[in-house]
Amino acid sequence: MSARGTVRAVVVHHNRFGDIAATARGIAAQGIAPEHVLVVDNSTAPDAGDVLAGLRAGGHPVLTVPNRGYGAAANAGLDRWLGGDPAPEFVLLATHETRLEPGALAAMLGEARSHPRCAVVGPLLATGDGGATVWSAGGYLRGPLGLPRHREHLAERSALGPVPSRDAEWLDGCCLLVRGAALGAERFDEGFFLYMEEVDLQLRLRAAGWTVRLAGGAAARQESDGVPDYYGVRNIQRLNRRAGRPVAAVAAGMFLAARQAARALLRGRGGDLGPIAAGLADGLLGRAGPGPRAAGPAPGVVLVNPLGRALAHYAEALEETLGSGGVRVRTLSVQEPSASGTGRAVWLASHLVLLWRARRAAAPDARILTLWPVLGYWDLPLARALAGPRAAVVLHDPVPLVRAVGYGRIAAALVSRAPRLADVVVHSREAAAEVERALPSARPQLLPHPMLVPAAASPADTLDAAEAAGAAEAARDRDPAAAAGSVAVPPACPAGTSTTARTRRPVVRVLGQFKAGRDTAAMGLLAESLGAEAELRVTGRGWPRVSGWRVDERFVDEAEMDELIRGADTVVIPYERFFQSGIAVRCLELGTPFVGPGGSHLEDLLGAGSPLLVGDGRTWDDAVRHALRAGRGEILAAGRAYHLDAEASWAGFGELS
């Protein structure tokens, strides 16, 4: 059973540099594309950088997070995948040393599909040389103290024979296939830090009516160093208390503390008594305990994304920009009503909960950055109150170009009088000036619009993409229902000759939602000047008819947006008034020339005086003709320079106050 398109993977990695690459490759070999195998790294050793760079070179995304334990790292990965659009049906969670045996993922998928109310599926876990010894055939809670135990623990696989699929109370966290719909907003309790957080999550899912199953036809190998004394004694109390068994919590903690103390004394390891006593005390008092602090050049940053669908690319670019600059990042997201189907009230409540969750999940010195102000200027006091003193909010459009709440004069006047506001991040000088005018106390921080590492595809690749995109669009015009998967293959031509030049006119595109600031008059002039020379196309929501342009009025998802940009010879950014352009940044990422007004944010991307910018006597058709003639080289150079500037600027974000 294929996993492509339905399964994403999260591999939690901590200082196992000799294992992580093989683990990631092994999971990809089960049928998950490398770009869907996310490594969440919370390593603290200094040689992490080279290993992580190697993983990225192999196509695996890498997310660096502070070391707050297995649960926090797994949550970061779950948030990344389940906050996307579309969200995957399943997520495979694995730890750095886990090796799936052939066919394991297919067997787990089959078991999950056969049991629609199954939230978690796991394999038989083996250990030892060649995986000859059973580590776990599913877990259960033993006796009135609720002690977690593995079935068939340390049995020889050869003597055990085939293990049938069956329900379990819980499965080991080193390898879990979890159903996204079952998790919903449920995540691992990060208060455990090490061990038993997976038991707790599965007990909660079972209490909500889901099941947990062992897939008898699946097996994986893993290693375990056992549970440290402190966490074993502390976490058994937390597990029972969260299950509503306070008496069992105390009894289990005292039982384990006494047993481990006896073992320590018999082995002559009196130094172990301190951690055992600390675990008992912290468990009885409900204290969090001493989790290791993350090492790194800057404090962590928690991103709060209330537009999980619309801002998925922006969030990914910011994660990469911060991570490349040495900042450890975690993203919490919720989808907007148009993507989730929920009402605005539920969405707003979910956003406020995310802010509170971010504060609880973050270290005291971490920045918490809201990527979009749900309530306009009102988000500044709300984020400060809920997320704490190091909260910040990105204000993309201080004067909204579409209908929005919370930006009027009354809101600005009231918010400006609030005693405490979150910091403000903007991406253009124009936005900074508007914030300073509306909110004199806000102190906006000007940081570059984040971007992914710019592409450097060959010109022939771009021409082929343009040919394919143009053919697919023409097919959609003829038969929209049948064109979804159509791809045109350009005819053969002599080496060194552009197929596209022989078969089509250049494609000039306008992309993105229609807004009040769009300069349709400039588009009309372009149509008069270039209509006979180029294909003029508009794709985006809300566009009216524009003379001389073919308008495709619809929402465009992330993957198709990249396809349309790659397939364009030039992208036009036709605005009379705007603060920044995410489309222009994506053109920089993908190496596609774009044209837009000078004296704007686009000068930050291209440099003042660029022939791709309109102004100082240069008309729209002049700039477009230059882009069609020679703009690609300029875009590649500008993309590299802007990306380096963005990395350097955002690297200090964790230090802002």
Side-chain angles (χ1 to χ4, degrees):
M1 184 171 294
S2 174
R4 289 193 176 271
T6 63
V7 182
R8 302 290 187 269
V10 175
V11 186
V12 176
H13 172 245
H14 181 77
N15 292 351
R16 288 287 288 265
F17 305 112
D19 293 319
I20 183 58
T23 297
R25 288 195 302 267
I27 290 174
Q30 296 280 322
I32 305 177
E35 63 267 26
H36 293 159
V37 181
L38 170 68
V39 176
V40 182
D41 175 76
N42 62 9
S43 298
T44 55
D47 52 349
D50 292 342
V51 173
L52 301 184
L55 288 168
R56 290 189 176 101
H60 299 289
V62 177
L63 179 60
T64 57
V65 297
N67 180 24
R68 298 196 194 93
Y70 165 85
N75 284 344
L78 289 169
D79 288 338
R80 161 71 79 88
W81 290 135
L82 297 180
D85 180 50
E89 187 178 2
F90 298 98
V91 178
L92 178 69
L93 295 173
T95 49
H96 42 217
E97 85 288 358
T98 303
R99 300 287 193 278
L100 275 69
E101 295 187 358
L105 180 57
M108 288 190 283
L109 272 175
E111 193 68 29
R113 295 260 169 74
S114 300
H115 297 82
R117 290 299 298 173
C118 180
V120 182
V121 180
L124 174 81
L125 294 177
T127 191
D129 292 339
T133 303
V134 175
W135 180 259
S136 177
Y140 67 101
L141 300 179
R142 190 182 74 182
L145 301 184
L147 302 177
R149 291 290 182 266
H150 296 293
R151 297 190 184 279
E152 313 297 347
H153 185 54
L154 300 184
E156 293 301 314
R157 290 179 71 182
S158 58
L160 189 62
V163 176
S165 297
R166 61 191 178 206
D167 285 348
E169 293 184 48
W170 60 275
L171 299 166
D172 195 296
C174 72
C175 188
L176 300 172
L177 183 69
V178 299
R179 189 186 301 269
L183 279 185
E186 291 285 355
R187 294 292 185 268
F188 291 99
D189 176 359
E190 299 174 12
F192 285 96
F193 190 84
L194 278 176
Y195 301 100
M196 297 192 209
E197 54 264 78
E198 79 273 37
V199 181
D200 167 71
L201 176 62
Q202 292 169 80
L203 293 181
R204 283 186 276 130
L205 291 171
R206 290 179 64 238
W210 296 91
T211 63
V212 173
R213 286 187 64 80
L214 173 78
R221 284 172 284 165
Q222 65 110 38
E223 301 172 17
S224 175
D225 296 325
V227 183
D229 290 336
Y230 170 83
Y231 290 109
V233 174
R234 190 200 66 154
N235 288 352
I236 191 62
Q237 298 175 77
R238 187 179 186 89
L239 180 70
N240 274 292
R241 190 173 288 110
R242 283 181 57 82
R245 294 153 45 98
V247 176
V250 174
M254 296 182 70
F255 170 78
L256 283 186
R259 189 178 69 180
Q260 290 175 208
R263 288 178 177 174
L265 291 173
L266 288 172
R267 294 171 182 170
R269 299 173 58 178
D272 292 348
L273 296 179
I276 294 170
L280 179 62
D282 285 349
L284 290 171
L285 297 174
R287 294 194 297 231
R293 297 296 302 278
V301 173
V302 180
L303 305 180
V304 175
N305 182 8
L307 302 179
R309 179 182 186 182
L311 289 184
H313 186 88
Y314 177 90
E316 181 183 2
L318 185 50
E319 286 177 1
E320 182 175 293
T321 301
L322 286 164
S324 298
V327 181
R328 295 174 176 268
V329 188
R330 178 180 177 187
T331 301
L332 304 177
S333 62
V334 63
Q335 291 193 344
E336 55 270 39
S338 61
S340 65
T342 59
R344 291 184 63 84
V346 173
W347 173 53
L348 174 59
S350 299
H351 171 54
L352 299 179
V353 169
L354 277 191
L355 288 169
W356 180 246
R357 276 187 60 199
R359 184 172 189 172
R360 294 183 61 195
D365 55 359
R367 299 306 308 273
I368 297 173
L369 179 63
T370 300
L371 302 188
W372 186 269
V374 172
L375 294 174
Y377 291 141
W378 292 109
D379 265 53
L380 300 179
L382 278 173
R384 177 61 172 77
L386 292 172
R390 290 178 61 76
V393 178
V394 181
L395 290 182
H396 298 259
D397 300 323
V399 178
L401 303 181
V402 296
R403 183 174 176 271
V405 299
Y407 289 98
R409 285 179 294 178
I410 294 176
L414 293 175
V415 168
S416 64
R417 296 181 182 181
R420 296 182 180 87
L421 298 178
D423 291 337
V424 174
V425 172
V426 294
H427 296 319
S428 69
R429 292 182 295 274
E430 295 81 5
E434 184 59 39
V435 171
E436 289 171 348
R437 184 197 65 77
L439 302 171
S441 63
R443 297 186 305 149
Q445 302 282 345
L446 177 57
L447 291 169
H449 192 295
M451 67 177 288
L452 299 176
V453 175
S458 69
D461 292 339
T462 300
L463 292 172
D464 288 346
E467 177 81 6
E473 200 158 5
R476 186 187 301 113
D477 294 337
R478 294 192 302 271
D479 184 358
S486 63
V487 177
V489 179
C493 62
T497 302
S498 167
T499 302
T500 305
R502 290 174 34 183
T503 60
R504 69 168 183 88
R505 294 183 295 171
V507 176
V508 177
R509 295 189 187 275
V510 172
L511 296 165
Q513 180 182 4
F514 180 79
K515 300 175 182 178
R518 294 287 194 177
D519 191 347
T520 54
M523 294 173 65
L525 293 174
L526 272 175
E528 292 177 6
S529 177
L530 292 173
E533 304 173 29
E535 294 285 342
L536 306 180
R537 300 175 179 268
V538 179
T539 308
R541 283 187 299 185
W543 277 89
R545 293 177 60 86
V546 182
S547 177
W549 293 75
R550 181 186 294 181
V551 176
D552 188 2
E553 194 278 312
R554 61 187 175 86
F555 172 79
V556 180
D557 65 21
E558 294 290 335
E560 188 182 0
M561 182 65 77
D562 283 353
E563 174 189 324
L564 292 174
I565 291 174
R566 287 193 186 97
D569 295 276
T570 298
V571 172
V572 174
I573 315 291
Y575 276 110
E576 296 174 321
R577 175 176 62 88
F578 72 117
F579 291 105
Q580 66 272 312
S581 171
I583 296 295
V585 173
R586 292 180 78 156
C587 288
L588 280 187
E589 292 173 355
L590 298 171
T592 297
F594 65 88
V595 166
S600 69
H601 169 244
L602 302 185
E603 287 190 352
D604 296 334
L605 308 183
L606 297 174
S610 168
L612 297 172
L613 298 178
V614 177
D616 295 331
R618 189 178 301 105
T619 63
W620 283 93
D621 56 326
D622 289 339
V624 171
R625 285 192 172 95
H626 176 83
L628 294 175
R629 191 170 57 247
R632 180 174 168 77
E634 295 176 27
I635 286 293
L636 291 173
R640 287 189 290 269
Y642 187 79
H643 183 258
L644 291 173
D645 180 52
E647 281 189 351
S649 299
W650 278 98
F653 175 68
E655 301 296 342
L656 298 179
S657 58

